[in-house]
Short mmCIF file of all heavy atoms in Angstrom, two decimals:
data_model
loop_
_atom_site.label_atom_id
_atom_site.label_comp_id
_atom_site.label_asym_id
_atom_site.label_seq_id
_atom_site.Cartn_x
_atom_site.Cartn_y
_atom_site.Cartn_z
N LYS A 1 -24.89 -13.50 -14.49
CA LYS A 1 -24.42 -13.95 -15.80
C LYS A 1 -23.21 -14.88 -15.70
O LYS A 1 -22.94 -15.63 -16.63
CB LYS A 1 -24.06 -12.74 -16.66
CG LYS A 1 -25.25 -11.83 -16.96
CD LYS A 1 -24.83 -10.65 -17.82
CE LYS A 1 -26.02 -9.75 -18.12
NZ LYS A 1 -25.62 -8.58 -18.94
N THR A 2 -22.47 -14.77 -14.59
CA THR A 2 -21.28 -15.61 -14.41
C THR A 2 -21.67 -16.97 -13.87
O THR A 2 -22.41 -17.05 -12.87
CB THR A 2 -20.28 -14.93 -13.46
OG1 THR A 2 -19.99 -13.62 -13.95
CG2 THR A 2 -19.00 -15.72 -13.38
N LYS A 3 -21.18 -18.02 -14.48
CA LYS A 3 -21.50 -19.37 -14.01
C LYS A 3 -20.83 -19.65 -12.68
O LYS A 3 -19.78 -19.09 -12.36
CB LYS A 3 -21.07 -20.40 -15.05
CG LYS A 3 -21.83 -20.30 -16.36
CD LYS A 3 -21.39 -21.38 -17.34
CE LYS A 3 -22.17 -21.29 -18.64
NZ LYS A 3 -21.76 -22.34 -19.61
N THR A 4 -21.43 -20.56 -11.92
CA THR A 4 -20.90 -20.90 -10.60
C THR A 4 -19.51 -21.49 -10.69
O THR A 4 -18.64 -21.22 -9.86
CB THR A 4 -21.84 -21.88 -9.89
OG1 THR A 4 -23.16 -21.35 -9.86
CG2 THR A 4 -21.38 -22.13 -8.46
N SER A 5 -19.26 -22.30 -11.71
CA SER A 5 -17.94 -22.92 -11.86
C SER A 5 -16.87 -21.86 -12.10
O SER A 5 -15.76 -21.95 -11.57
CB SER A 5 -17.96 -23.91 -13.02
OG SER A 5 -18.39 -23.28 -14.22
N MET A 6 -17.19 -20.83 -12.88
CA MET A 6 -16.22 -19.77 -13.12
C MET A 6 -16.05 -18.89 -11.88
O MET A 6 -14.97 -18.33 -11.65
CB MET A 6 -16.65 -18.92 -14.33
CG MET A 6 -15.63 -17.89 -14.74
SD MET A 6 -13.97 -18.56 -15.06
CE MET A 6 -14.30 -19.64 -16.45
N LYS A 7 -17.10 -18.77 -11.08
CA LYS A 7 -16.99 -18.02 -9.82
C LYS A 7 -15.98 -18.69 -8.88
O LYS A 7 -15.26 -18.00 -8.15
CB LYS A 7 -18.35 -17.91 -9.14
CG LYS A 7 -19.32 -16.97 -9.83
CD LYS A 7 -20.63 -16.89 -9.07
CE LYS A 7 -21.61 -15.96 -9.77
NZ LYS A 7 -22.90 -15.85 -9.04
N PHE A 8 -15.95 -20.04 -8.91
CA PHE A 8 -14.97 -20.76 -8.09
C PHE A 8 -13.54 -20.36 -8.44
O PHE A 8 -12.67 -20.32 -7.57
CB PHE A 8 -15.14 -22.27 -8.28
CG PHE A 8 -16.34 -22.84 -7.60
CD1 PHE A 8 -16.85 -24.09 -7.96
CD2 PHE A 8 -16.98 -22.15 -6.59
CE1 PHE A 8 -17.97 -24.61 -7.33
CE2 PHE A 8 -18.11 -22.66 -5.96
CZ PHE A 8 -18.59 -23.89 -6.33
N LEU A 9 -13.30 -20.05 -9.71
CA LEU A 9 -11.96 -19.66 -10.15
C LEU A 9 -11.69 -18.17 -9.94
O LEU A 9 -10.56 -17.77 -9.66
CB LEU A 9 -11.76 -20.02 -11.62
CG LEU A 9 -11.72 -21.50 -11.98
CD1 LEU A 9 -11.67 -21.69 -13.48
CD2 LEU A 9 -10.52 -22.18 -11.32
N LEU A 10 -12.73 -17.35 -10.11
CA LEU A 10 -12.53 -15.90 -10.01
C LEU A 10 -12.42 -15.41 -8.57
O LEU A 10 -11.70 -14.44 -8.30
CB LEU A 10 -13.67 -15.17 -10.71
CG LEU A 10 -13.72 -15.28 -12.23
CD1 LEU A 10 -14.94 -14.56 -12.79
CD2 LEU A 10 -12.45 -14.72 -12.85
N VAL A 11 -13.12 -16.07 -7.65
CA VAL A 11 -13.09 -15.61 -6.26
C VAL A 11 -11.68 -15.63 -5.67
O VAL A 11 -11.25 -14.65 -5.04
CB VAL A 11 -14.07 -16.44 -5.40
CG1 VAL A 11 -13.82 -16.22 -3.91
CG2 VAL A 11 -15.51 -16.05 -5.73
N PRO A 12 -10.87 -16.70 -5.85
CA PRO A 12 -9.50 -16.67 -5.30
C PRO A 12 -8.62 -15.58 -5.90
O PRO A 12 -7.67 -15.14 -5.26
CB PRO A 12 -8.95 -18.07 -5.61
CG PRO A 12 -10.14 -18.92 -5.80
CD PRO A 12 -11.18 -18.05 -6.40
N VAL A 13 -8.94 -15.14 -7.14
CA VAL A 13 -8.13 -14.10 -7.77
C VAL A 13 -8.16 -12.81 -6.97
O VAL A 13 -7.17 -12.07 -6.91
CB VAL A 13 -8.62 -13.87 -9.22
CG1 VAL A 13 -7.88 -12.70 -9.86
CG2 VAL A 13 -8.43 -15.13 -10.05
N PHE A 14 -9.30 -12.53 -6.32
CA PHE A 14 -9.44 -11.29 -5.55
C PHE A 14 -9.52 -11.53 -4.05
O PHE A 14 -9.35 -10.59 -3.27
CB PHE A 14 -10.69 -10.53 -6.02
CG PHE A 14 -10.63 -10.15 -7.46
CD1 PHE A 14 -11.31 -10.90 -8.42
CD2 PHE A 14 -9.87 -9.07 -7.89
CE1 PHE A 14 -11.25 -10.56 -9.75
CE2 PHE A 14 -9.80 -8.73 -9.22
CZ PHE A 14 -10.49 -9.48 -10.16
N LEU A 15 -9.76 -12.78 -3.66
CA LEU A 15 -9.75 -13.09 -2.23
C LEU A 15 -8.32 -13.11 -1.69
O LEU A 15 -8.06 -12.63 -0.58
CB LEU A 15 -10.43 -14.43 -1.97
CG LEU A 15 -10.55 -14.85 -0.50
CD1 LEU A 15 -11.37 -13.83 0.28
CD2 LEU A 15 -11.19 -16.24 -0.40
N SER A 16 -7.38 -13.64 -2.48
CA SER A 16 -5.99 -13.68 -2.03
C SER A 16 -5.40 -12.27 -1.88
O SER A 16 -4.72 -11.99 -0.88
CB SER A 16 -5.14 -14.52 -2.98
OG SER A 16 -5.24 -14.07 -4.31
N PRO A 17 -5.63 -11.31 -2.80
CA PRO A 17 -5.15 -9.95 -2.54
C PRO A 17 -5.82 -9.28 -1.35
O PRO A 17 -5.18 -8.49 -0.63
CB PRO A 17 -5.47 -9.19 -3.83
CG PRO A 17 -5.59 -10.23 -4.88
CD PRO A 17 -6.14 -11.43 -4.18
N LEU A 18 -7.10 -9.61 -1.11
CA LEU A 18 -7.79 -9.03 0.04
C LEU A 18 -7.15 -9.49 1.34
O LEU A 18 -6.85 -8.67 2.24
CB LEU A 18 -9.28 -9.44 0.00
CG LEU A 18 -10.13 -8.98 1.18
CD1 LEU A 18 -10.17 -7.46 1.27
CD2 LEU A 18 -11.54 -9.55 1.08
N VAL A 19 -6.92 -10.79 1.46
CA VAL A 19 -6.26 -11.32 2.67
C VAL A 19 -4.82 -10.81 2.75
O VAL A 19 -4.31 -10.49 3.84
CB VAL A 19 -6.31 -12.86 2.67
CG1 VAL A 19 -5.60 -13.42 3.89
CG2 VAL A 19 -7.75 -13.35 2.63
N ASN A 20 -4.17 -10.71 1.60
CA ASN A 20 -2.81 -10.19 1.56
C ASN A 20 -2.75 -8.77 2.10
O ASN A 20 -1.85 -8.41 2.87
CB ASN A 20 -2.29 -10.23 0.12
CG ASN A 20 -0.78 -10.13 0.04
OD1 ASN A 20 -0.13 -9.62 0.93
ND2 ASN A 20 -0.22 -10.62 -1.05
N ASN A 21 -3.69 -7.95 1.72
CA ASN A 21 -3.73 -6.57 2.22
C ASN A 21 -4.00 -6.52 3.71
O ASN A 21 -3.35 -5.76 4.44
CB ASN A 21 -4.81 -5.78 1.47
CG ASN A 21 -4.35 -5.30 0.11
OD1 ASN A 21 -3.20 -4.92 -0.06
ND2 ASN A 21 -5.24 -5.33 -0.86
N LEU A 22 -4.95 -7.30 4.16
CA LEU A 22 -5.35 -7.22 5.57
C LEU A 22 -4.31 -7.81 6.51
O LEU A 22 -4.18 -7.35 7.65
CB LEU A 22 -6.69 -7.94 5.75
CG LEU A 22 -7.90 -7.33 5.04
CD1 LEU A 22 -9.13 -8.18 5.25
CD2 LEU A 22 -8.14 -5.90 5.51
N VAL A 23 -3.56 -8.81 6.06
CA VAL A 23 -2.61 -9.50 6.93
C VAL A 23 -1.18 -8.98 6.75
O VAL A 23 -0.49 -8.65 7.72
CB VAL A 23 -2.66 -11.02 6.68
CG1 VAL A 23 -1.61 -11.73 7.52
CG2 VAL A 23 -4.04 -11.57 7.00
N CYS A 24 -0.74 -8.89 5.50
CA CYS A 24 0.67 -8.58 5.23
C CYS A 24 0.99 -7.09 5.22
O CYS A 24 2.10 -6.70 5.59
CB CYS A 24 1.09 -9.20 3.90
SG CYS A 24 1.01 -11.00 3.88
N ARG A 25 0.06 -6.25 4.79
CA ARG A 25 0.39 -4.83 4.70
C ARG A 25 0.68 -4.18 6.05
O ARG A 25 1.62 -3.38 6.16
CB ARG A 25 -0.74 -4.06 3.98
CG ARG A 25 -1.01 -4.43 2.55
CD ARG A 25 0.09 -4.00 1.59
NE ARG A 25 1.24 -4.87 1.66
CZ ARG A 25 1.29 -6.10 1.18
NH1 ARG A 25 0.24 -6.64 0.61
NH2 ARG A 25 2.38 -6.83 1.26
N PRO A 26 -0.08 -4.48 7.11
CA PRO A 26 0.30 -3.89 8.40
C PRO A 26 1.68 -4.33 8.87
O PRO A 26 2.45 -3.50 9.40
CB PRO A 26 -0.80 -4.40 9.35
CG PRO A 26 -1.96 -4.67 8.47
CD PRO A 26 -1.38 -5.18 7.20
N MET A 27 2.04 -5.61 8.67
CA MET A 27 3.36 -6.06 9.07
C MET A 27 4.45 -5.44 8.20
O MET A 27 5.54 -5.12 8.68
CB MET A 27 3.42 -7.60 9.01
CG MET A 27 2.59 -8.28 10.08
SD MET A 27 2.91 -10.05 10.20
CE MET A 27 2.06 -10.63 8.73
N GLU A 28 4.14 -5.25 6.93
CA GLU A 28 5.11 -4.60 6.05
C GLU A 28 5.34 -3.15 6.48
O GLU A 28 6.48 -2.65 6.44
CB GLU A 28 4.60 -4.64 4.62
CG GLU A 28 5.54 -4.03 3.60
CD GLU A 28 4.97 -4.10 2.20
OE1 GLU A 28 4.26 -5.08 1.89
OE2 GLU A 28 5.23 -3.17 1.42
N ALA A 29 4.28 -2.46 6.87
CA ALA A 29 4.43 -1.09 7.35
C ALA A 29 5.28 -1.04 8.61
O ALA A 29 6.10 -0.12 8.79
CB ALA A 29 3.05 -0.48 7.61
N GLU A 30 5.11 -2.02 9.50
CA GLU A 30 5.94 -2.08 10.70
C GLU A 30 7.42 -2.29 10.35
O GLU A 30 8.31 -1.69 10.97
CB GLU A 30 5.45 -3.20 11.62
CG GLU A 30 4.13 -2.90 12.31
CD GLU A 30 4.24 -1.73 13.25
OE1 GLU A 30 5.23 -1.66 14.02
OE2 GLU A 30 3.35 -0.87 13.23
N LEU A 31 7.68 -3.12 9.36
CA LEU A 31 9.07 -3.32 8.91
C LEU A 31 9.67 -2.02 8.38
O LEU A 31 10.83 -1.68 8.68
CB LEU A 31 9.11 -4.40 7.83
CG LEU A 31 8.93 -5.85 8.30
CD1 LEU A 31 8.80 -6.78 7.10
CD2 LEU A 31 10.10 -6.30 9.16
N LEU A 32 8.90 -1.29 7.59
CA LEU A 32 9.39 -0.04 7.03
C LEU A 32 9.63 1.00 8.12
O LEU A 32 10.64 1.73 8.09
CB LEU A 32 8.39 0.49 6.00
CG LEU A 32 8.26 -0.33 4.72
CD1 LEU A 32 7.09 0.15 3.89
CD2 LEU A 32 9.54 -0.28 3.90
N LEU A 33 8.73 1.08 9.07
CA LEU A 33 8.92 2.03 10.17
C LEU A 33 10.11 1.63 11.03
O LEU A 33 10.82 2.50 11.56
CB LEU A 33 7.64 2.11 11.01
CG LEU A 33 6.41 2.70 10.31
CD1 LEU A 33 5.19 2.64 11.22
CD2 LEU A 33 6.68 4.15 9.88
N GLY A 34 10.33 0.32 11.17
CA GLY A 34 11.51 -0.13 11.90
C GLY A 34 12.80 0.26 11.19
O GLY A 34 13.77 0.67 11.83
N LEU A 35 12.81 0.15 9.86
CA LEU A 35 13.98 0.59 9.10
C LEU A 35 14.17 2.10 9.19
O LEU A 35 15.30 2.60 9.23
CB LEU A 35 13.84 0.18 7.63
CG LEU A 35 13.89 -1.32 7.33
CD1 LEU A 35 13.62 -1.57 5.84
CD2 LEU A 35 15.23 -1.91 7.73
N LEU A 36 13.06 2.81 9.23
CA LEU A 36 13.15 4.27 9.32
C LEU A 36 13.78 4.72 10.64
O LEU A 36 14.55 5.69 10.68
CB LEU A 36 11.75 4.88 9.16
CG LEU A 36 11.64 6.40 9.19
CD1 LEU A 36 12.41 7.02 8.02
CD2 LEU A 36 10.18 6.83 9.14
N LYS A 37 13.46 4.01 11.71
CA LYS A 37 13.99 4.35 13.02
C LYS A 37 15.18 3.49 13.42
O LYS A 37 15.63 3.55 14.58
CB LYS A 37 12.89 4.20 14.08
CG LYS A 37 11.71 5.14 13.85
CD LYS A 37 10.65 4.96 14.93
CE LYS A 37 9.47 5.91 14.71
NZ LYS A 37 8.43 5.72 15.77
N CYS A 38 15.69 2.69 12.49
CA CYS A 38 16.81 1.78 12.75
C CYS A 38 16.50 0.82 13.90
O CYS A 38 17.39 0.43 14.67
CB CYS A 38 18.09 2.58 13.05
SG CYS A 38 18.70 3.50 11.63
N ASP A 39 15.23 0.47 14.00
CA ASP A 39 14.78 -0.48 15.03
C ASP A 39 14.46 -1.79 14.33
O ASP A 39 13.32 -2.06 13.94
CB ASP A 39 13.55 0.08 15.77
CG ASP A 39 13.09 -0.84 16.89
OD1 ASP A 39 13.83 -1.78 17.23
OD2 ASP A 39 11.98 -0.61 17.41
N PHE A 40 15.47 -2.63 14.17
CA PHE A 40 15.31 -3.86 13.41
C PHE A 40 14.53 -4.93 14.18
O PHE A 40 14.14 -5.94 13.59
CB PHE A 40 16.68 -4.41 13.01
CG PHE A 40 17.48 -3.43 12.18
CD1 PHE A 40 18.58 -2.80 12.71
CD2 PHE A 40 17.11 -3.16 10.89
CE1 PHE A 40 19.32 -1.90 11.95
CE2 PHE A 40 17.83 -2.26 10.11
CZ PHE A 40 18.94 -1.63 10.65
N GLY A 41 14.33 -4.72 15.47
CA GLY A 41 13.54 -5.66 16.25
C GLY A 41 12.11 -5.20 16.45
O GLY A 41 11.41 -5.73 17.32
#
């Protein structure tokens, strides 16, 4: 039911959070664990 032109706009709305989760969340967790152990490096 969704037109192809609207799919072009809707896909980035959920593709960017998907990539954000897969790439940034693991690094963010490492930062938090580093703060927890006072290991800033």
Side-chain angles (χ1 to χ4, degrees):
K1 297 180 180 180
T2 305
K3 295 182 179 180
T4 306
S5 56
M6 186 54 63
K7 288 182 180 180
F8 286 162
L9 293 174
L10 291 177
V11 166
V13 174
F14 300 100
L15 183 60
S16 56
L18 177 61
V19 179
N20 198 336
N21 280 322
L22 295 177
V23 176
C24 297
R25 297 290 77 73
M27 290 191 286
E28 182 180 326
E30 288 296 316
L31 286 172
L32 292 170
L33 294 176
L35 292 175
L36 181 63
K37 298 180 180 180
C38 293
D39 182 11
F40 301 109

